[in-house]
Amino acid sequence: MRVLVVDDEVGLVRALRRGLTAEGFAVDAAHDGETGLRMAVDGEYDVLVVDVMLPRRNGYDVVTALRAHDVWTPVLMLSAKDGEHDVADGLDVGADDYLTKPFSFVVLVARLRALVRRPVAPRPAVLRVGALELDPATRAVTRDGAPVELTVRETALLEYLLRHADRVVGKLELLDHVFDTRGDDPNVVEVYVGYLRRKLGRDAVTTVRGAGYRVGGVA
């Protein structure tokens, strides 16, 4: 397995290279965000270890840029910043895991192996279908670049449809995952789909008769 370590602490990188090599990893390293981003985009890595505080480009920017380039290699972020908002920020920009310094090398290796076992698939931080965009972290919704104000429940419905844009989503599934219970009147789904259409355009959500709904027709 090939890993890229992006960290400006030379001593730490040297120790990680030595330890990870002993564990069977092939290790490359970069000491600034700009170089790390270029290597991650151009290279073929199984997993990335990216520090948050980097010269030239911080770790959050590196991960954001990677996902914008459709690079979905798993990323483990390292940081001395251990606040809950710091961890949330790292995960929201597209990182797959977050480990605070100082850390256990045994735990680091275990987390890297766990990340490598996961199937690599697109996991965009911002959901996009045609002209529609939704940032789940900030709940910001736009169509054609123009902001659209949605309620919390409307945003949750749109997010679920965007995350499953490759298929038709049935009413009962939406009741389970968006409205919390099947005890609600299934018509509540139709009501909220109507709200989305009024705010986003009638073509934002398509009804597939007898099956459910899908996001589509927004170009």
Side-chain angles (χ1 to χ4, degrees):
M1 292 178 289
R2 181 167 293 277
V3 57
L4 172 64
V5 177
V6 187
D7 198 302
D8 62 334
E9 296 183 42
V10 176
L12 176 61
V13 172
R14 186 181 300 116
L16 286 177
R17 185 191 293 275
R18 184 168 57 248
L20 290 172
T21 299
E23 292 290 333
F25 288 85
V27 184
D28 291 335
H31 298 291
D32 66 82
E34 199 64 49
T35 302
L37 174 60
R38 176 177 50 78
M39 292 176 66
V41 170
D42 294 340
E44 295 185 2
Y45 293 98
D46 297 293
V47 66
L48 310 173
V49 177
V50 181
D51 188 30
V52 170
M53 303 302 292
L54 292 167
R56 300 182 67 196
R57 194 163 192 162
N58 69 46
Y60 298 140
D61 287 345
V62 170
V63 176
T64 300
L66 284 173
R67 299 324 188 204
H69 280 86
D70 288 331
V71 176
W72 303 106
T73 308
V75 175
L76 171 63
M77 296 200 82
L78 295 179
S79 178
K81 302 169 68 176
D82 60 356
E84 59 183 19
H85 292 292
D86 299 313
V87 177
D89 287 344
L91 298 176
D92 281 342
V93 298
D96 300 272
D97 202 352
Y98 192 106
L99 192 59
T100 57
K101 299 177 180 179
F103 55 84
S104 161
F105 178 74
V106 173
V107 171
L108 172 73
V109 172
R111 291 192 175 191
L112 291 180
R113 294 195 188 281
L115 290 176
V116 170
R117 286 196 298 270
R118 297 179 188 175
V120 177
R123 301 177 303 281
V126 176
L127 305 174
R128 296 182 181 89
V129 172
L132 279 177
E133 290 191 4
L134 165 63
D135 184 342
T138 63
R139 295 181 181 170
V141 177
T142 62
R143 176 169 180 170
D144 295 315
V148 180
E149 293 293 330
L150 299 182
T151 66
V152 172
R153 184 57 59 83
E154 290 165 358
T155 304
L157 175 58
L158 178 62
E159 178 178 352
Y160 196 84
L161 291 171
L162 287 171
R163 289 192 184 279
H164 301 87
D166 59 334
R167 63 181 178 86
V168 177
V169 182
K171 283 185 181 180
L172 293 181
E173 182 178 346
L174 290 170
L175 283 173
D176 275 345
H177 293 274
V178 178
F179 298 90
D180 300 327
T181 173
R182 289 192 180 185
D184 285 345
D185 183 349
N187 289 330
V188 72
V189 177
E190 295 179 15
V191 171
Y192 275 87
V193 167
Y195 294 158
L196 289 182
R197 285 172 173 160
R198 280 198 289 273
K199 294 182 177 182
L200 298 170
R202 294 204 58 81
D203 58 350
V205 182
T206 301
T207 300
V208 180
R209 190 173 298 277
Y213 303 95
R214 71 184 308 165
V215 174
V218 183

